[in-house]
Structures are given as C-alpha cells and as structure tokens.
Amino acid sequence: MEHLPVEVIGNILSRLGGARDVVIASVTCRKWREASRKHLHTLAFNSNDLPPYRDITPKQLEILITQTIFQTTGLQGLSILMDDVDEFSASTVIAWLMYTRETLRRLFYNVRTSPNVNILEICGRQKLETLALAHNSITGVEPNFQRFPCLKSLSLSHVSISALDLSLLLTACPKLESLELVNLEIAMSDAQVTVELSCPTLKSIYVEAISLDKFMLEADSIERLHLRDCALELFELIGIGTLKYFKIDDVSVIHLDIGETIDNLEVVDVSNFTIIWPKFYQMISRSSKLRKLRLWDVAFDDEDEVVDLETIAVCFPQLKHLALSYELRDGVMHYGLQGSSNLENVMVLELGWTVINDLFSHWVEELLKRCPNLRKMIIFGSVSEVKSHEECQILANFTSSIVQLMRKYMNVEVHFEFE
C-alpha cells in the first residue's frame, strides 16, 4: 500500500461513499491525508447511513460537514442527503455549494434550509452533469437557454414547482438526456393542472406519484418511458418514433397516446392497469421489433375481452419474453387461445394468477404448446394463509398437472414464486 500513488488512493477513498469512512481512512497516514485533500473526487453525507448524525444537533452537523468539505479540493461528486435532520442554515449550505461548484459534476441534494436555497442560481452556468433535488422548492426560473449547458440527468423528488417553471427548466438544459419526476407538487394557476414539456435531446423519462389533468411531452429522441402510480386524464407523447421501452404501472389514465410511429418499440410492460385490448393492441400493433411483452395484473374494460395470442404471434414475430397474468374466465379457452400460429422465438414465459382455478393448468399447457423453443418458465401465484378445502384441492390438482406437464417438456427450466 505504501507504494500506491496518491492519485490511486484518492480514487479508493472516493469509492468508499460515506464521508465518515473517508475521514477515518484518511487519518491512516500522511499520504492518505494528502490523498483525501488533493485527490478526493466524491464525497457523500447521508443521515440514514450514519447513526452518529442523529446524536448531534444540526449546528454541530453543519460544522462537521463544513470542515470535511473545505479540506478537499476539486470535488466532482457531492451528495448531501439529510432526511432526518432539521433545518440547516442557508448561509452555511450556500458556502458548501459556492466552494465546490466550479469543479462539481454530480450533485445530490436533499437539505432543508431556512430560507430556501436557490440551487439553480448557485450551480447554473457551471459544469454540472447530474442534478438530483429532493424536498426543495423551485420558483422564478429564468428563460435562459444556457443555464445548465452540460446537464444530462435531472431528478426532482418531492419538489414544489409550477408547470411553467418546469418547462423553462428543461429549456435551460440543452443536453438533457434523463429526467425523473417523483411526487412533484405542481403549483396551480387555474382549475386545470396541465404540464407541457419539450426536450429534443431527452432519451429517458420516469414519472411517479403525480396527479395531473394533462401531461404532454414533446421529445424527438425519447427511448424510455416509465409511468408509475400516477393519476392522469390525458398523457400524450409527441415524437418521431424513437421509443423503445414503454412501462406503465398502477396508473389511472383516461386517454393515453404514445404516438403513431412506434415501430421501434422493443419492450412493453403493463401492470396494475385497466386496458381496452383492441385500442391498446392498435397502439402497439406496428411494433414488429417487440422483444418483451408483459401484461401483469391487467383488467379489461370489457368483460368479454382477453389477450388474443394468435394476434400476438402474428404481429410480434421477434418476441422472446412473454409475461401474462390476469383473471382467467371460462371464455378464455375459446377466444384467447384460438388460432394455430406459434410464438417461435419466445424463450422466457412468465405466467401468474390472481385467483387460481382449474383453468390455469390447462392454460399453461396450451401456452407451452405454442412456444416450441421455450427455455424457461416462471409461474407466479398468490396463496392465502387461510385456505378452504376446495382451494387446497385446486392447488393440489394444479401441482399434479404441472408435474405431469413438465415430464413432456424436460428441456424447459421451471421456477415457482408464491406470495
């Protein structure tokens, strides 16, 4: 260790993560102390990871963080996550940011201050590439195109911001590629809450726990779209057909439009969602490059609707991963499994039930017949703690059926996951 260059030691200390571990390691010897001061490029303070932080006052913690930061030069990554700490002095936090901002590339900031610290004003026009803000408020964003000339990743969690300021903020990030919006408090200017965003360079967006009347996104480079736990009347994506990954989980939306040109879709993952199958199928039917289709815990708007496997087999010839879990009904065997087209390229099959019945084992068998090149099958199930005799018998019959079925398909690896 004594022959290691100080630059290498600085990289080692930067990978420790927690500031407390860095401080302890840096007192090993003079060489490690020099490395922590001149070659440390990442420093993280997290109130959850460091129990001693909860045993001191916020003022004492401010002093400790100040001393640690001011002993470094050239920090590129700074993470200050203070979930369980009361308010810090705004002037102290501003001093941390002013000291590091010229070299900072990554900032993860969750600090409550009095008054609020304007992160955008302090860190703007610098070299910042990643910015993650939590439990903060953003107001009065200036329409400045070059405010964040290098920013590629932006995450806002539990942040209060108006729809206009959010739109202006994206405009100020000409190189933005990744956007995360989690549980935002959107300031309302009228009865309807409408968010309209435009970002030509955006490649990935994740939206969680947001309730809006209208959410419209114009992004010509978008490849990944993930909506989770949202309530929306309208969601519209305006693009030029670059979307490859579409996931929607536990979302209530009346009108969903992800664009007409979605020929490049490779993954469609829908769970805990009510769909109108003909309309949903029409939306994704031209996605001939689809590799993974997951419909999990879906409900159908029309009780007579089921997933049509014949249509899936014909329209998605490159499909390799198919996951289906929904409530089976008597009509499913006659409509959902009709046709003769096989899912030739499906190698992974995930199947599940909400309430098991005698139809499930037959459904599994029919799906196996339609997947001649299957390599792996995973069966998910829910088993209640208190079971009636009838439920126990159904489960026993299912187990026997699967055992017999697997004797026919020795080349298929089978896994069971119950909850």
Side-chain angles (χ1 to χ4, degrees), residues 3 31 42 71 90 122 147 174 293 316 357 389 391 410 412:
H3 300 297
K31 194 174 184 179
T42 303
Q71 286 179 0
I122 297 173
R147 172 59 67 88
L293 175 62
F316 309 129
N357 55 35
H389 175 72
E391 289 174 325
M410 299 292 290
V412 178

Side-chain angles (χ1 to χ4, degrees), residues 257-270:
D257 184 359
I258 58 173
E260 295 182 359
T261 53
I262 51 175
D263 300 347
N264 292 311
L265 263 179
E266 296 178 2
V267 176
V268 172
D269 189 334
V270 179

Side-chain angles (χ1 to χ4, degrees), residues 96-353:
W96 302 340
L97 298 174
M98 293 293 288
Y99 181 77
T100 59
R101 67 176 185 170
E102 290 186 5
T103 59
L104 215 54
R105 301 289 191 276
R106 302 172 302 279
L107 175 61
F108 301 85
Y109 180 89
N110 180 6
V111 182
R112 295 175 177 84
T113 61
S114 180
N116 184 61
V117 173
N118 190 334
I119 300 294
L120 304 185
E121 182 63 33
I122 297 173
C123 297
R125 302 178 185 89
Q126 301 296 330
K127 300 175 183 179
L128 205 61
E129 297 176 2
T130 299
L131 175 61
L133 295 181
H135 296 98
N136 208 272
S137 62
I138 297 175
T139 57
V141 178
E142 297 177 1
N144 188 328
F145 181 70
Q146 292 294 336
R147 172 59 67 88
F148 291 98
C150 302
L151 197 68
K152 294 182 178 181
S153 177
L154 174 64
S155 175
L156 303 178
S157 176
H158 297 84
V159 168
S160 174
I161 187 171
S162 70
L164 176 59
D165 282 338
L166 181 58
S167 178
L168 290 173
L169 179 55
L170 263 61
T171 304
C173 308
K175 294 184 179 180
L176 191 66
E177 296 181 358
S178 176
L179 177 64
E180 289 189 4
L181 305 175
V182 178
N183 206 353
L184 293 190
E185 182 183 335
I186 304 293
M188 293 186 295
S189 57
D190 51 37
Q192 274 201 334
V193 185
T194 300
V195 170
E196 297 183 25
L197 304 179
S198 178
C199 186
T201 58
L202 192 66
K203 293 183 178 180
S204 174
I205 183 170
Y206 174 77
V207 182
E208 179 183 349
I210 290 180
S211 297
L212 296 170
D213 294 306
K214 295 180 181 180
F215 193 124
M216 303 176 70
L217 173 66
E218 184 176 356
D220 288 343
S221 302
I222 194 74
E223 295 180 0
R224 294 177 64 90
L225 168 62
H226 186 178
L227 305 177
R228 184 173 185 270
D229 192 24
C230 295
L232 309 167
E233 286 191 14
L234 178 146
F235 180 88
E236 182 177 0
L237 173 64
I238 304 169
I240 57 174
T242 56
L243 190 66
K244 295 181 179 180
Y245 178 99
F246 173 57
K247 183 172 183 178
I248 184 168
D249 179 13
D250 197 15
V251 171
S252 171
V253 58
I254 297 175
H255 180 73
L256 175 67
D257 184 359
I258 58 173
E260 295 182 359
T261 53
I262 51 175
D263 300 347
N264 292 311
L265 263 179
E266 296 178 2
V267 176
V268 172
D269 189 334
V270 179
S271 58
N272 300 297
F273 187 63
T274 299
I275 64 175
I276 303 173
W277 175 249
K279 186 175 180 181
F280 181 78
Y281 164 72
Q282 184 181 9
M283 187 170 61
I284 66 170
S285 60
R286 294 184 301 276
S287 307
S288 59
K289 298 178 182 178
L290 200 67
R291 303 293 183 91
K292 179 178 178 179
L293 175 62
R294 184 174 184 266
L295 303 176
W296 208 259
D297 288 339
V298 297
F300 295 98
D301 189 63
D302 186 340
E303 291 185 358
D304 294 330
E305 288 176 354
V306 291
V307 177
D308 183 358
L309 287 177
E310 177 71 11
T311 304
I312 291 176
V314 172
C315 293
F316 309 129
Q318 297 187 35
L319 196 66
K320 292 186 175 181
H321 190 142
L322 177 61
L324 299 174
S325 172
Y326 59 99
E327 185 179 352
L328 295 175
R329 300 181 304 277
D330 289 335
V332 72
M333 297 303 157
H334 305 293
Y335 176 47
L337 296 174
Q338 71 178 18
S340 57
S341 299
N342 287 333
L343 296 156
E344 295 287 348
N345 290 313
V346 170
M347 301 182 71
V348 179
L349 187 62
E350 296 182 42
L351 302 174
W353 72 74

Side-chain angles (χ1 to χ4, degrees), residues 374-378 406 409-415:
L374 193 68
R375 293 291 177 265
K376 184 176 182 179
M377 181 172 68
I378 308 170
M406 288 303 99
Y409 298 91
M410 299 292 290
N411 60 317
V412 178
E413 180 184 350
V414 182
H415 293 267

